[in-house]
Amino acid sequence: MSSFNGHGRGRKGGGMKKVLIGGLSLILLVGVILAIVGGISRSKNGSTSLISTTQKAIKAICAPTDYKEACEKTLSGTTTTNPKELIKAAFKATIDEFRSAFHLPENITTADNMQKMALSDCKTLLQYAIDELQASYSEVGNIEIHSMGDRVDNIKNWLSAVLSYQETCMDGLTQPEVKSAMKNVLLNATQLTSNALAMVSEISSILSAFKMSFNISFPSRHLLEKDDDLPTWFTAGDRRLLAGRGGDNVKPNVVVAKDGTGNFKTINDALNAMPGNYRGRYVIYVKGGVYKEQVLVDKNKVNVFMYGDGPRKTIVTGSKNFVDGTPTFQTATFAAIGDGFIAKSMGFSNTAGPEKHQAVALRVQSDMSAFFNCRMDGFQDTLYAQTHRQFYRNCVVSGTIDFIFGDSAVVFQNCLIIARKPMDNQYNTVTAHGRIDKRETTGIVIQNCRIVPDGRLFPVRFKLPSYLGRPWKEYSRTVIMESTVADFIQPEGWKPWDGDFALKTLFYAEYGNRGPGANTNKRVKWPGYKVITNQKEALQYTVGPFIQGGSWLRYTGAPNFLGLKH
């Protein structure tokens, strides 16, 4: 991929067949559920038709999936008509596929150092996928047909992340023979994950129609709990923090200071000192200073709250980049993986420059993570909002090509989004979303923000074109709403990735924007683009429904509004 196009990340290949869900399938599935509620169907002479009923149940469960043959083959050995047990069997088969693929990266030999690193990334990503699937399997195991809650959203969120991990693995592989070997071994895993997501999405809607509910707990996850009453193990400091005071008047567990006046001189040392299986918020105060380190909040470090003295005073910086031989996934100056991560009043920077192409300042895959009063500064690929539910409030994000990208469900609220001056042969694209499956619950939402050029771009803002986004993957989804858009955005608004790729399957929308760049009269005429005029439709992309913010944002201390601003 040339520097003009920007990425070595790649697009989704293979042209997966998609099958529309017909009304007949829906009726069949409803019929099976009624049969299960009412008892196993019987033949005219009164004998139990177990095999026939099981086959019907399997066909019904598989009806909404895109890969029916793989679905039915996976479930062919089961003898149950219980939809929950069939879904569990599908999840188990998916886990088994990933476990089979897990060691493949070790067995692929290559002399290319970057490919070796990318294969190492694949192994890490496959482990993340297995963990997410196991969490999903546990949740399905707690489903009760007669009592259902809305936590099925968590399962869909985790399955969306599993699909993203597979795609991230493939994106890092550039040698054709290496990429082909990994693609072949992951084909079944990809199809089964898609099928599992389809099953959960369809079953949940049907059971909702029957006014049934799931009663799901969190046995394998350590996120803050959803109930209004805080967990009993919370300390008084936790309660003050989560009441919305942020870092104010909250005693940190540890202090980081470059000048030696704290407990540690580096952020990584502070994270490494976090006790295993720590209960509650682990609070790290990072004093003002420039911290030149590559920070990792790993998956075992959950509910970390990190705050600084301000985004221009407490800065984590690095310069790893793709051109110098580091895969995009590993270029991040700061990576937040452990669930429930919160950052306040900090800056994250990658100083590699536009000529170094992909160079990530912040990579986030933490579920239910929040950033407020933070800065993310870079050029290409500044903020990698990789997976899960994320929220950014009162933040500044700057960059050039695809500088907000990933496959998360993310909302930016009251943020300043700054396009910087790219190289003379480049253009700016604010977003590049990576949804690969139509049922993924992911997308980028920019609400009540300002999208502007920086001082160096301003004089040449019409010479070097800028766009709101381009479709990185087939089902890319981005919504710009209630925001101010400056005049530097091209009248067509959005840019293709490559020819007509994804133009029919993407979803790009604008609603209630203002400013000279918000005029939609000359916008692209793609089938997947629309101007939203209905308030009810716009509401579904707000913080409450889109990232289920009403159930967890109050625990972060981040200011927010759950619906529309105006």
Side-chain angles (χ1 to χ4, degrees):
M1 191 72 67
S2 69
S3 62
F4 188 81
N5 282 332
H7 284 270
R9 293 200 301 265
R11 56 177 268 189
K12 181 175 180 289
M16 295 181 180
K17 267 191 175 180
K18 302 297 179 183
V19 183
L20 295 175
I21 304 171
L24 183 60
S25 300
L26 198 61
I27 293 169
L28 180 59
L29 188 50
V30 171
V32 169
I33 293 174
L34 287 173
I36 293 166
V37 174
I40 297 175
S41 63
R42 296 180 178 275
S43 62
K44 290 182 179 179
N45 61 12
S47 62
T48 302
S49 305
L50 182 58
I51 295 177
S52 175
T53 304
T54 300
Q55 290 174 342
K56 288 180 181 179
I58 290 171
K59 284 187 176 294
I61 286 290
C62 293
T65 66
D66 292 336
Y67 308 100
K68 291 181 175 60
E69 184 178 349
C71 179
E72 293 178 10
K73 182 179 178 180
T74 298
L75 299 177
S76 61
T78 58
T79 58
T80 180
T81 58
N82 187 315
K84 181 178 79 172
E85 294 304 317
L86 288 170
I87 294 175
K88 284 177 64 179
F91 274 62
K92 186 178 183 305
T94 310
I95 293 171
D96 290 343
E97 282 289 338
F98 275 95
R99 284 177 173 159
S100 297
F102 181 70
H103 294 289
L104 179 67
E106 300 172 357
N107 301 323
I108 297 177
T109 58
T110 175
D112 186 288
N113 190 54
M114 186 178 283
Q115 291 303 281
K116 288 179 182 178
M117 288 190 286
L119 286 168
S120 176
D121 291 342
C122 280
K123 189 163 184 182
T124 299
L125 290 158
L126 290 176
Q127 184 59 62
Y128 290 151
I130 292 169
D131 293 343
E132 301 277 345
L133 284 165
Q134 288 175 328
S136 302
Y137 180 83
S138 296
E139 297 296 73
V140 172
N142 288 318
I143 290 172
E144 296 295 340
I145 296 296
H146 60 277
S147 103
M148 174 175 141
D150 61 359
R151 290 189 176 177
V152 72
D153 288 324
N154 292 303
I155 301 175
K156 292 189 284 188
N157 170 53
W158 299 339
L159 290 175
S160 296
V162 172
L163 287 168
S164 179
Y165 295 142
Q166 296 169 70
E167 194 72 1
T168 303
C169 164
M170 294 303 303
D171 286 341
L173 303 174
T174 55
Q175 282 189 346
E177 61 276 12
V178 175
K179 195 178 188 78
S180 178
M182 185 59 68
K183 181 179 179 180
N184 289 337
V185 80
L186 285 179
L187 180 61
N188 285 343
T190 302
Q191 292 185 356
L192 293 185
T193 306
S194 175
N195 285 348
L197 180 58
M199 289 178 191
V200 172
S201 299
E202 196 64 29
I203 287 290
S204 65
S205 62
I206 290 174
L207 293 181
S208 293
F210 274 84
K211 297 183 180 180
M212 300 178 182
S213 59
F214 294 106
N215 181 15
I216 303 177
S217 61
F218 279 85
S220 57
R221 307 286 276 197
H222 303 289
L223 289 175
L224 298 180
E225 296 172 15
K226 184 180 174 182
D227 299 333
D228 289 333
D229 294 326
L230 297 178
T232 56
W233 44 263
F234 268 33
T235 65
D238 291 326
R239 293 171 187 276
R240 286 196 301 273
L241 172 66
L242 302 184
R245 299 180 186 176
D248 300 335
N249 302 317
V250 176
K251 183 179 179 180
N253 295 80
V254 293
V255 177
V256 180
K258 288 197 67 173
D259 61 8
T261 59
N263 305 101
F264 302 98
K265 290 185 177 181
T266 71
I267 299 170
N268 278 315
D269 284 345
L271 286 165
N272 291 335
M274 181 177 175
N277 299 317
Y278 185 84
R279 304 286 285 182
R281 281 284 178 201
Y282 192 73
V283 183
I284 300 174
Y285 167 39
V286 186
K287 286 188 174 182
V290 178
Y291 296 83
K292 295 181 179 180
E293 55 179 313
Q294 190 170 29
V295 177
L296 174 65
V297 183
D298 70 37
K299 67 178 181 180
N300 297 317
K301 292 176 172 56
V302 300
N303 296 329
V304 171
F305 176 86
M306 190 178 296
Y307 68 98
D309 286 329
R312 290 189 179 275
K313 293 181 178 179
T314 299
I315 301 170
V316 191
T317 186
S319 59
K320 288 197 172 185
N321 62 84
F322 185 83
V323 169
D324 288 345
T326 302
T328 305
F329 183 75
Q330 293 188 29
T331 63
T333 300
F334 192 106
I337 299 171
D339 291 337
F341 180 79
I342 303 172
K344 178 184 178 183
S345 301
M346 293 185 66
F348 309 93
S349 175
N350 191 309
T351 60
E355 69 278 1
K356 295 296 186 177
H357 300 181
Q358 297 97 302
V360 177
L362 174 66
R363 178 171 69 86
V364 183
Q365 68 184 68
S366 170
D367 194 13
M368 300 186 189
S369 55
F371 295 77
F372 54 114
N373 191 31
C374 290
R375 284 189 70 102
M376 302 86 185
D377 292 311
F379 289 88
Q380 183 171 334
D381 292 2
T382 302
L383 174 55
Y384 190 177
Q386 187 182 1
T387 56
H388 297 122
R389 291 161 288 196
Q390 305 179 20
F391 179 71
Y392 297 77
R393 171 78 180 215
N394 299 346
C395 290
V396 177
V397 188
S398 74
T400 55
I401 298 172
D402 304 345
F403 63 94
I404 299 173
F405 77 105
D407 189 22
S408 61
V410 56
V411 178
F412 295 86
Q413 201 173 82
N414 291 31
C415 291
L416 180 61
I417 296 171
I418 304 174
R420 303 177 76 172
K421 184 177 180 293
M423 293 192 295
D424 290 342
N425 66 333
Q426 293 180 327
Y427 48 74
N428 286 329
T429 42
V430 176
T431 65
H433 193 250
R435 191 168 67 140
I436 66 168
D437 189 289
K438 64 192 174 193
R439 295 184 185 87
E440 283 188 75
T441 56
T442 60
I444 296 172
V445 176
I446 296 175
Q447 182 186 23
N448 201 44
C449 296
R450 292 174 58 216
I451 302 174
V452 301
D454 78 352
R456 291 190 63 215
L457 175 62
F458 186 82
V460 292
R461 66 192 186 281
F462 301 126
K463 179 181 177 182
L464 299 175
S466 297
Y467 304 87
L468 296 172
R470 60 177 183 156
W472 179 23
K473 302 293 179 179
E474 190 174 357
Y475 291 92
S476 180
R477 178 161 61 178
T478 302
V479 179
I480 314 292
M481 59 195 303
E482 300 186 305
S483 294
T484 300
V485 184
D487 64 359
F488 76 114
I489 294 296
Q490 292 291 299
E492 58 268 38
W494 307 82
K495 185 167 183 61
W497 183 275
D498 183 13
D500 63 356
F501 169 73
L503 302 187
K504 294 180 180 179
T505 51
L506 60 76
F507 180 80
Y508 283 168
E510 298 180 57
Y511 171 79
N513 296 313
R514 51 199 176 268
N519 191 320
T520 58
N521 290 340
K522 296 182 180 180
R523 286 296 196 252
V524 293
K525 304 301 181 185
W526 304 340
Y529 170 79
K530 72 179 300 183
V531 176
I532 296 175
T533 57
N534 184 289
Q535 190 179 69
K536 184 177 180 181
E537 182 179 359
L539 276 168
Q540 66 184 302
Y541 301 106
T542 57
V543 168
F546 194 65
I547 57 172
Q548 296 82 55
S551 67
W552 61 275
L553 271 177
R554 64 180 180 273
Y555 297 145
T556 68
N560 66 85
F561 52 88
L562 298 179
L564 295 170
K565 180 66 175 177
H566 303 292

